[in-house]
Amino acid sequence: MKIAILKETKAFERRVAVTPDIVKSLLKAGFTCAIQSGAGENSSLLNADYEKAGATVAADAQTLLADADVVLKVNAPTLDEVALMREGAVSISFLYAYTQPELVKALNAKKISAFSMDAVPRTTKAQSMDALSSQANLAGYKAVLLGANALGKIFPLMMTAAGTIKPSKVLIFGAGVAGLQAIATAKRLGAVVEVSDVRPETKEQVESLGGKFLSVEGMEANKSEGGYAKEVSAEFLQKQQDLIKQRIKDADIVITTALVMGKKAPILVTEEMVQSMKTGSVIVDMAVESGGNCALSEANQTVVKNGVTIIGESNLPALLSTNASDLYAKNISTLLLHLANKDGFKWELEEEITKGSLITHQGEVIHAFTKGILEKK
């Protein structure tokens, strides 16, 4: 089968779907690989690196897609790219299909089978294919560094002849993969870290990394699914907000990571809370691409409101494009090799990983979660 690796065109994107090392492993498995010229440049990977690994380099997307059996990307294909794909081809990328009804229609019109990296089940078996986790890990690390860079203070306790500097206080919302990495990074830098999460099962993980978990009465009843928190009651959210209002006043850095699958990110930091924060403090809103956890954050902007710096970087993994591309390439190639061999796809539609990640097939949406949301739109 012929694999095509497209150059990413989304704004602020610096990653590439496949690295030269992964090209070698795909060729060894019997596939042929072609890559669009310049696709790896923002990850410090040159055309010559891909050619040396055994891939051919195509001048443009049209040439690349004309006879490709499988199209690999980081972000969802554009409508123009779908138009260039051959009928019945396979696409693998992040898709978030439930937010893109027009794209889903275009994929179905050309009978393109689209696998979504964000829909890969978060199970032990699929761990090596879990791109959400690999990218979130890097994002959590980078969020702390961005916050530290914008803060006019150091993180650790420092005793000097001129006096003692108190450690910075970091408040983190959400103890998923990104939040846990943010805790670990902030602690390594010497900060005092407090963490809020609606899922009671995260308490032990937070404490194992040295963070203080902020417990809210009634949180034992909260549930999570596939690594995401499910929506909680208004009563619980009010109790959580009351606690956060007290803690946020003392925070030097606030990092928010909370997402609800298939829905807009919840507002956790209100305008009133921002006004209560210390002048010079920093908020890093990691959920800004999904609407944001802070009421005042702006996508891809750093703004100052009431003396508080609010960082709204929508694509944190892309700021670490070398590592992010390496990890993503491993994730996407592992998924491909699970789904197919050099002769074609297995199409085991009831197999757990296939069923979880295949969104469109033979002109229809067959992913139950995506179908349910799109039917409501």
Side-chain angles (χ1 to χ4, degrees):
M1 284 202 300
K2 295 180 180 178
I3 295 172
I5 305 148
L6 276 171
K7 184 175 182 178
E8 301 297 323
T9 56
K10 187 178 178 181
F12 307 104
E13 186 55 79
R14 300 179 62 79
R15 293 170 289 180
V16 63
V18 174
T19 59
D21 282 347
I22 295 300
V23 166
K24 289 176 188 174
S25 66
L26 292 173
L27 293 176
K28 195 174 178 182
F31 297 91
T32 62
C33 292
I35 186 164
Q36 188 174 348
S37 181
E41 283 178 359
N42 288 327
S43 294
S44 306
L45 298 168
L46 305 178
N47 287 347
D49 298 324
Y50 285 97
E51 287 176 323
K52 190 176 176 183
T56 56
V57 175
D60 54 49
Q62 186 170 359
T63 307
L64 187 66
L65 295 174
D67 62 349
D69 299 305
V70 187
V71 180
L72 303 183
K73 284 198 71 185
V74 177
N75 297 292
T78 63
L79 293 175
D80 287 343
E81 287 165 349
V82 172
L84 293 173
M85 288 183 203
R86 68 169 186 77
E87 188 165 312
V90 173
S91 165
I92 309 178
S93 67
F94 281 122
L95 204 54
Y96 299 102
Y98 47 82
T99 67
Q100 306 211 62
E102 292 307 311
L103 176 59
V104 170
K105 280 182 193 171
L107 291 166
N108 282 336
K110 294 200 76 169
K111 292 186 168 56
I112 290 166
S113 296
F115 289 90
S116 185
M117 295 299 290
D118 51 279
V120 170
R122 298 180 99 169
T123 60
T124 304
K125 186 180 177 184
Q127 219 164 20
S128 58
M129 312 166 199
D130 185 0
L132 282 177
S133 292
S134 74
Q135 303 302 295
N137 215 344
L138 294 171
Y141 168 85
K142 189 65 175 180
V144 174
L145 298 192
L146 288 178
N149 193 50
L151 185 69
K153 299 171 66 175
I154 63 170
F155 272 32
L157 170 75
M158 191 176 286
M159 300 173 108
T160 75
T164 300
I165 300 173
K166 292 180 180 177
S168 295
K169 292 183 178 177
V170 177
L171 176 59
I172 296 171
F173 290 78
V177 175
L180 291 171
Q181 183 56 250
I183 296 165
T185 304
K187 285 297 292 182
R188 282 197 295 268
L189 290 172
V192 173
V193 182
E194 293 186 327
V195 184
S196 173
D197 196 294
V198 299
R199 298 164 295 175
E201 66 266 26
T202 60
K203 182 175 188 288
E204 190 178 333
Q205 294 169 298
V206 168
E207 291 173 345
S208 73
L209 292 169
K212 180 185 176 185
F213 189 79
L214 302 177
S215 296
V216 178
E217 184 190 345
M219 71 183 309
E220 298 78 18
N222 295 342
K223 305 287 182 196
S224 63
E225 189 177 304
Y228 289 91
K230 295 184 85 172
E231 281 195 296
V232 297
S233 69
E235 182 187 3
F236 176 84
L237 280 177
Q238 187 57 54
K239 286 181 184 174
Q240 186 190 40
Q241 288 226 331
D242 291 343
L243 176 61
I244 295 305
K245 279 178 187 174
Q246 300 166 28
R247 309 308 304 165
I248 205 166
K249 293 174 186 175
D250 296 326
D252 295 300
I253 293 181
V254 174
I255 296 174
T256 68
T257 73
L259 296 170
V260 178
M261 190 174 178
K263 296 182 184 291
K264 184 180 178 293
I267 295 291
L268 302 178
V269 181
T270 63
E271 187 171 352
E272 179 191 354
M273 288 180 188
V274 175
Q275 288 169 353
S276 76
M277 292 175 70
K278 295 183 291 189
T279 299
S281 54
V282 178
I283 297 170
V284 183
D285 189 345
M286 293 182 66
V288 72
E289 193 171 29
S290 297
N293 294 143
C294 175
L296 298 179
S297 61
E298 297 177 24
N300 301 305
Q301 300 290 328
T302 295
V303 296
V304 179
K305 306 277 185 175
N306 303 301
V308 178
T309 300
I310 305 171
I311 300 170
E313 182 63 56
S314 69
N315 192 346
L316 288 165
L319 299 180
L320 299 167
S321 59
T322 300
N323 299 129
S325 295
D326 279 343
L327 295 178
Y328 184 82
K330 183 67 177 171
N331 297 142
I332 199 169
S333 62
T334 305
L335 177 62
L336 174 61
L337 292 171
H338 172 79
L339 299 170
N341 56 39
K342 64 183 176 64
D343 299 318
F345 279 76
K346 301 170 191 173
W347 300 122
E348 297 169 342
L349 300 185
E350 291 306 310
E351 184 269 328
E352 176 191 30
I353 295 169
T354 306
K355 188 174 183 179
S357 60
L358 182 56
I359 309 298
T360 62
H361 185 53
Q362 295 179 342
E364 292 180 35
V365 177
I366 66 167
H367 190 260
F369 178 84
T370 302
K371 193 173 185 177
I373 292 180
L374 290 177
E375 283 175 349
K376 292 174 187 172
K377 291 190 174 183

